[in-house]
Amino acid sequence: MNGVGKIAAGVGFSVLCTAIGMAGLSYLAGPEDGFIPPLWWIFGLACPALVSLPVCVILVRQGEANRRLAGQLAEAMARLADLAQHDGMTGLLNRTAFLSRSDDRPATAGWMLVMDIDRFKSINDRYGHHVGDAVIQAVADVLSVSVRTGDLCGRLGGEEFAVLTMGISAEDAQALAERIRTRIAAIEIIADDDIVRPTISMGLAPVTAGDGAALALRLADAAMYRSKRTGRNRISLAA
């Protein structure tokens, strides 16, 4: 029912109740003493209509305003929930949300990929933080288009990222890691008169059914640091 219908229903109910009350009093008073002149009927029914009309208008408008506010509040709460789970710069899951969703994954085997941008501090120091931010965003974009629907992709902090992919073989996981590595190595970001070409070091660790994601994350992180020590821009499997 729209607003006009609600107002009409409210006014009609008020007039109906008044009419029933007047008819009841007339009936109880008897045919002689209970006679109500037509003018009194008109006045008696007009009064509740005139009084209830503005009241109904105000109540309907307040109800519509409350519904709009409730909808806006629900949208704001949804946005806050989204902001609480996603990194503000890249739109990827933040560390807390990534670990939480990793633990809620189906009990199937998979692979954890942890990667870190090589010499990121040097990029910031040489070209400025705005270039470093562009590198982070470019890496995040590569991850977003490289993973499957249903895979988890997060920024763990700073220049470190992680991907959790479930239900694939070791060969497919290594192919995914290599695809990500080569795509990132192909990034070119113009910085003044120079071109920044970032690379990543990556570690892979298997996720077995029943094990927590935190264990696979630690193993993949250790493998990633082994990639750093052995030359960077490479992939290492967890020992």
Side-chain angles (χ1 to χ4, degrees):
M1 185 182 294
N2 59 25
V4 175
K6 293 177 181 178
I7 293 172
V11 173
F13 181 75
S14 176
V15 172
L16 178 63
C17 289
T18 302
I20 292 173
M22 292 176 66
L25 290 175
S26 175
Y27 175 80
L28 292 176
E32 296 181 359
D33 296 335
F35 174 74
I36 300 178
L39 184 62
W40 287 21
W41 275 102
I42 295 173
F43 181 77
L45 296 180
C47 284
L50 294 174
V51 172
S52 61
L53 177 61
V55 173
C56 290
V57 169
I58 292 172
L59 291 176
V60 168
R61 288 181 175 177
Q62 286 181 340
E64 292 175 348
N66 288 340
R67 280 191 294 275
R68 286 195 298 270
L69 288 174
Q72 293 171 1
L73 179 61
E75 291 177 1
M77 293 296 290
R79 287 195 298 269
L80 287 174
D82 184 73
L83 289 173
Q85 296 187 45
H86 291 83
D87 174 61
M89 179 185 297
T90 63
L92 302 179
L93 294 174
N94 59 31
R95 184 184 186 91
T96 300
F98 180 83
L99 292 177
S100 176
R101 295 193 187 186
S102 297
D103 287 336
D104 292 338
R105 74 193 190 285
T108 56
W111 286 83
M112 181 74 73
L113 289 66
V114 174
M115 63 213 75
D116 189 89
I117 301 173
D118 295 326
R119 300 184 174 91
F120 183 73
K121 184 178 184 303
S122 297
I123 295 174
N124 273 336
D125 292 343
R126 181 174 179 181
Y127 301 104
H129 288 277
H130 65 288
V131 175
D133 291 346
V135 170
I136 287 175
Q137 185 62 63
V139 169
D141 291 342
V142 167
L143 295 179
S144 296
V145 300
S146 299
V147 299
R148 305 170 304 171
T149 301
D151 290 343
L152 298 182
C153 187
R155 182 185 180 194
L156 301 184
E159 65 272 25
E160 189 174 12
F161 300 83
V163 170
L164 175 63
T165 179
M166 306 301 295
I168 66 173
S169 65
E171 292 77 12
D172 289 339
Q174 293 179 54
L176 171 62
E178 180 60 21
R179 185 162 61 249
I180 291 172
R181 188 196 66 78
T182 55
R183 286 178 176 178
I184 291 175
I187 293 172
E188 293 185 347
I189 296 176
I190 298 175
D192 298 327
D193 296 329
D194 202 355
I195 297 178
V196 178
R197 296 180 176 88
T199 62
I200 60 166
S201 297
M202 188 185 303
L204 276 75
V207 181
T208 57
D211 284 342
L215 174 60
L217 187 67
R218 287 196 300 271
L219 294 174
D221 193 61
M224 181 269 292
Y225 278 107
R226 189 164 68 252
S227 294
K228 293 276 191 185
R229 292 192 301 269
T230 55
R232 298 184 176 88
N233 190 24
R234 61 187 61 203
I235 302 165
S236 298
L237 289 173

